[in-house]
Amino acid sequence: MSDKEFQIEFFYQDIAYIGLVSPLGKKNWYAINLESENQESFIEIVAQPSESELEDWTFTCLDGEDAMSYYDKDLLTEIGEAMERVLANKSTERPESQIG
């Protein structure tokens, strides 16, 4: 997984979203600050690897509440998929010193 901040971008229900994903002190936990292009939505949540085989990520609000109580499950799924795309690309990148 990544130890540096990264950006995610995706469309959900025809609205563009952009977010900053920052690693937290716990292994593979991330703080996510997400905003919609129309600035109607601003989401601050935490993602951690899920213990369930059905989901890749568990999302919680900053106060520890389950994010699914406040946000659309499909939106949270899109956030997780956007994170996975970036993390997968980072894991396949070679350091510049090895590129020949």
Side-chain angles (χ1 to χ4, degrees), residues 29-44:
W29 285 42
Y30 297 93
I32 303 163
N33 293 307
L34 186 75
E35 186 172 348
S36 63
E37 71 178 340
N38 59 11
Q39 298 180 342
E40 289 183 11
S41 297
F42 183 75
I43 299 172
E44 292 181 301

Side-chain angles (χ1 to χ4, degrees), residues 39-71:
Q39 298 180 342
E40 289 183 11
S41 297
F42 183 75
I43 299 172
E44 292 181 301
I45 56 176
V46 174
Q48 67 187 66
S50 177
E51 294 178 6
S52 167
E53 292 183 14
L54 302 175
E55 302 287 333
D56 291 328
W57 298 98
T58 299
F59 295 97
T60 54
C61 297
L62 297 181
D63 64 3
E65 292 287 319
D66 182 0
M68 282 200 210
S69 299
Y70 300 96
Y71 303 109

Side-chain angles (χ1 to χ4, degrees), residues 81-94:
E81 288 177 1
M83 290 175 56
E84 289 294 327
R85 285 191 295 272
V86 172
L87 293 169
N89 285 339
K90 286 182 177 292
S91 69
T92 59
E93 289 178 356
R94 295 187 307 175

